[in-house]
Amino acid sequence: MKIIHNRFLPFRRYDAINICGILFCRKGVTITTDLIQHERIHTAQMLEMLIIGFYIWYVVEWLIRLPLHGRAYTHIAFEREAYANMDDPNYLLHRKHYAWVKYLR
């Protein structure tokens, strides 16, 4: 995974953003193995959704979840799968396609 440190992406409240498999990190952010794994899970999700489908679904789900209690970001199925499995270095070896679907609620 290509990692680019910069001052502009992601927005200030976030440490990193994965855009088409390239990880953009704010300068000064410590890149942990968990962060890398989290973003690799997102890359797998992107590939199975043919990239554009991932971004469309992500934005639509975020908009739907805005009125819910808490941050919409934490309720998105893609994020829930990535956070739930980011501490398992072998997760991507046994992950089934569209595993994020089970995190929809």
Side-chain angles (χ1 to χ4, degrees):
M1 174 173 285
K2 175 102 171 127
I3 300 171
I4 298 174
H5 294 274
N6 69 91
R7 295 183 297 143
F8 307 107
L9 287 174
F11 304 113
R12 292 196 186 270
R13 292 179 49 182
Y14 300 96
D15 292 337
I17 187 170
N18 183 340
I19 300 175
C20 298
I22 300 170
L23 186 60
F24 292 87
C25 295
R26 281 225 168 246
K27 286 192 182 273
V29 168
T30 302
I31 300 173
T32 64
T33 55
D34 285 352
L35 175 62
I36 296 289
Q37 180 68 357
H38 179 98
E39 299 304 336
R40 284 184 176 151
I41 293 168
H42 284 322
T43 299
Q45 295 164 341
M46 286 177 205
L47 293 174
E48 68 195 10
M49 298 285 291
L50 304 176
I51 298 175
I52 191 68
F54 171 86
Y55 291 107
I56 291 169
W57 188 283
Y58 196 105
V59 169
V60 168
E61 189 174 354
W62 181 78
L63 289 170
I64 290 169
R65 296 182 184 286
L66 270 177
L68 297 179
H69 179 72
R71 290 177 55 202
Y73 166 82
T74 60
H75 295 289
I76 296 169
F78 294 133
E79 294 299 341
R80 294 181 68 224
E81 178 192 9
Y83 278 111
N85 298 288
M86 66 191 229
D87 60 346
D88 180 357
N90 297 314
Y91 179 69
L92 289 172
L93 298 174
H94 58 79
R95 178 185 181 269
K96 292 184 166 89
H97 287 293
Y98 300 97
W100 57 271
V101 171
K102 74 179 184 180
Y103 293 91
L104 289 170
R105 53 176 159 121

